[in-house]
Amino acid sequence: MRPLWHDVQRLVLQNPQQLDCLFELLLTEDERQAIAGRLKVFQLLLAGTMSQRQIAAEYGVSIATITRCSNYLKNMPEDLRQQIRQLIL
């Protein structure tokens, strides 16, 4: 069986202008906010302009989420980290 996530990727790539509608259908408001918060954490960690505590205070993201994001970045290969940096910064 083909992974179901590929179906989601295909929908997103075929209809990028419809992302809001798709995300409204698939995600609750809390889930959309969690994704947005996690993206902001990754951006700030990659930029290196704020400490983890500053990020938590400024954006209301838990220290646990920030730590998970930080550990994920630390453990990924450098070439992937560079790709992510180019994508989201």
Side-chain angles (χ1 to χ4, degrees):
M1 182 170 96
R2 185 176 63 170
L4 295 177
W5 184 246
H6 289 168
D7 293 335
V8 174
Q9 291 172 322
R10 183 180 43 78
L11 276 173
V12 168
L13 291 173
Q14 286 178 348
N15 301 299
Q17 68 279 9
Q18 301 290 327
L19 279 178
D20 280 342
C21 182
L22 182 63
F23 288 158
E24 286 280 332
L25 174 69
L26 297 175
L27 304 169
T28 66
E29 177 63 24
D30 287 344
E31 289 167 332
R32 290 190 302 272
Q33 291 301 317
I35 290 169
R38 190 167 289 180
L39 175 61
K40 180 52 85 176
V41 168
F42 278 119
Q43 289 170 326
L44 293 168
L45 289 172
L46 286 168
T49 57
M50 297 176 80
S51 72
Q52 291 187 15
R53 294 210 181 275
Q54 289 172 318
I55 294 170
E58 180 77 21
Y59 293 96
V61 179
S62 74
I63 291 291
T65 295
I66 297 167
T67 300
R68 279 193 302 274
C69 292
S70 177
N71 288 338
Y72 187 72
L73 286 172
K74 287 177 188 173
N75 291 316
M76 74 172 42
E78 180 60 30
D79 60 329
L80 180 56
R81 190 172 26 253
Q82 288 301 327
Q83 288 178 345
I84 300 286
R85 182 177 278 116
Q86 290 175 354
L87 179 66
I88 66 174
L89 289 183

